[in-house]
Amino acid sequence: MDVDAFVLAHRATWDRLEALVKRRRRLTGAEVDELVELYQRVSTHLSVVRSTSSDSVLIGKLSTLVARARSVVTGAHAPLWREFVRFWTVSFPVVAYRSWRWWLGSAVGFFLVVAVIGVWVANNPEVQSALGSPSDIDQLINHDVESYYSEHPAASFALQVWVNNSWVAAQCIASSILLGVTIPGVLFDNAENLGVIGGLMFHADKGPLFVGLLLPHGLLELTAVFLAAAVGMRLGWSVISPGNRPRGQVLAEQGRAVVSVAVGLVVVLLISGLIEALVTPSPLPTLVRIGIGVLAEAAFLGYVVYFGRRAVRAGETGDVEDAPDVALAS
């Protein structure tokens, strides 16, 4: 065997493997796969050199490289806590961050419907009479809206709210199976209900009460629903316009993104439910209750922007297929 020709033909492979070994703590999922493949390939090169050449320098160099690569490749599988940390610092926030256009579009469309219906109801007695009898409307605006938040024990009410909010988000997530075509309908139904109640409350000069009851928990709650809608509709659009990649690959990636968001929103909606059960009906001043809601919303958006932007800059997509499944050795 011509050793010089062999070295010339494979030096780039050896250099690449050495570079990956040096960067073992900062590898992406694709680079981990590449490292394993190169380790196997260079191990074969070492066997060939040992059997056909007496060049001790080359054998020693390849032996050292293969040994170092083996120590990295055979590292332990990533512990559960590391996967947990990766989910909350990469997988969930990067999917939310990448969906911001769909997210914002869902919010704008939702509130536009709420505003139009609210103004329509508030300024049309005929519409109000069609919604219910005067006694029914009086019961709603003077009792039901406010008592809804305090008529049950906080713990059970928090659970009830969490289940209800999760169901709305789950409808958006489940609609991704139908490529998101039913999501606008789900959002419209909820916007219509909110607009009707808001219109009745503002017509009765109870707008401040309505806003004071809605904002503490509603900011975070609706943000979660908009995010669920965003990833569902984005999945549908990926089938219509997959870009220059295979449609099946894009659909699979977006499907896994939907799952990541579904898991993350369980916790987000739990926090929203706790605020609705403990803060909204509390005797705290209205501005304090609203302030708590604003802080929760700001914290969530700040979390998504900070970790999501950082993950995007690192080339992350949030796809579980790209996540390293080994804890690379030092």
Side-chain angles (χ1 to χ4, degrees):
M1 180 184 73
D2 187 333
V3 175
D4 292 335
F6 187 83
V7 171
L8 185 63
H10 300 293
R11 180 179 296 278
T13 299
W14 304 340
D15 291 343
R16 176 59 177 166
L17 178 59
E18 184 169 12
L20 292 175
V21 169
K22 289 180 179 179
R23 294 181 51 246
R24 56 188 174 274
R25 290 186 177 275
R26 303 186 302 277
L27 299 181
T28 65
E31 288 175 330
V32 171
D33 293 338
E34 182 185 5
L35 187 149
V36 172
E37 180 184 351
L38 292 181
Y39 159 69
Q40 295 171 338
R41 192 184 305 173
V42 176
S43 295
T44 301
H45 295 168
L46 176 60
S47 297
V48 171
V49 171
R50 279 176 170 168
S51 61
T52 60
S53 173
S54 59
D55 189 333
S56 58
V57 175
L58 179 59
I59 293 174
K61 179 179 179 179
L62 289 182
S63 296
T64 301
L65 178 58
V66 169
R68 291 172 60 204
R70 183 188 302 116
S71 69
V72 175
V73 171
T74 59
H77 284 276
L80 184 61
W81 68 265
R82 186 170 295 178
E83 295 180 7
F84 179 84
V85 170
R86 176 180 170 79
F87 176 83
W88 289 108
T89 58
V90 176
S91 302
F92 177 57
V94 76
V95 171
Y97 185 77
R98 286 181 177 274
S99 304
W100 74 268
R101 291 180 179 85
W102 292 91
W103 195 358
L104 180 61
S106 299
V108 170
F110 182 92
F111 287 118
L112 182 62
V113 172
V114 170
V116 170
I117 292 179
V119 171
W120 182 49
V121 170
N123 293 285
N124 287 274
E126 298 84 0
V127 175
Q128 298 170 24
S129 62
L131 293 172
S133 66
S135 60
D136 290 336
I137 293 177
D138 181 75
Q139 174 72 14
L140 174 68
I141 62 179
N142 290 307
H143 178 266
D144 292 350
V145 170
E146 187 170 9
S147 65
Y148 170 77
Y149 297 101
S150 57
E151 62 185 1
H152 300 293
S156 62
F157 183 59
L159 178 61
Q160 175 188 340
V161 168
W162 179 54
V163 171
N164 179 71
N165 295 341
S166 297
W167 168 242
V168 175
Q171 285 180 282
C172 294
I173 295 293
S175 294
S176 63
I177 299 174
L178 302 175
L179 305 183
V181 295
T182 62
I183 291 176
V186 173
L187 292 178
F188 182 86
D189 287 344
N190 285 274
E192 181 183 33
N193 292 335
L194 187 60
V196 167
I197 297 174
L200 293 173
M201 293 290 286
F202 273 91
H203 176 75
D205 294 325
K206 289 184 175 291
L209 173 63
F210 176 70
V211 172
L213 291 172
L214 178 65
L215 289 187
H217 65 277
L219 290 172
L220 187 59
E221 174 186 308
L222 289 174
T223 298
V225 172
F226 299 151
L227 177 55
V231 295
M233 290 189 290
R234 189 181 180 207
L235 182 145
W237 183 251
S238 71
V239 175
I240 298 173
S241 179
N244 56 3
R245 293 187 298 161
R247 183 172 277 104
Q249 177 185 349
V250 177
L251 181 60
E253 290 177 359
Q254 293 302 319
R256 289 188 288 267
V258 168
V259 173
S260 293
V261 168
V263 174
L265 289 185
V266 169
V267 175
V268 177
L269 289 171
L270 176 60
I271 296 172
S272 171
L274 290 173
I275 294 174
E276 187 167 359
L278 301 175
V279 176
T280 299
S282 73
L284 293 171
T286 299
L287 288 179
V288 173
R289 289 186 285 110
I290 292 176
I292 292 174
V294 170
L295 286 176
E297 173 76 354
F300 178 62
L301 294 179
Y303 154 75
V304 169
V305 170
Y306 175 76
F307 287 104
R309 182 182 294 171
R310 188 175 70 170
V312 166
R313 289 174 176 170
E316 295 282 358
T317 65
D319 191 345
V320 68
E321 293 295 308
D322 294 333
D325 62 352
V326 294
L328 300 180
S330 301

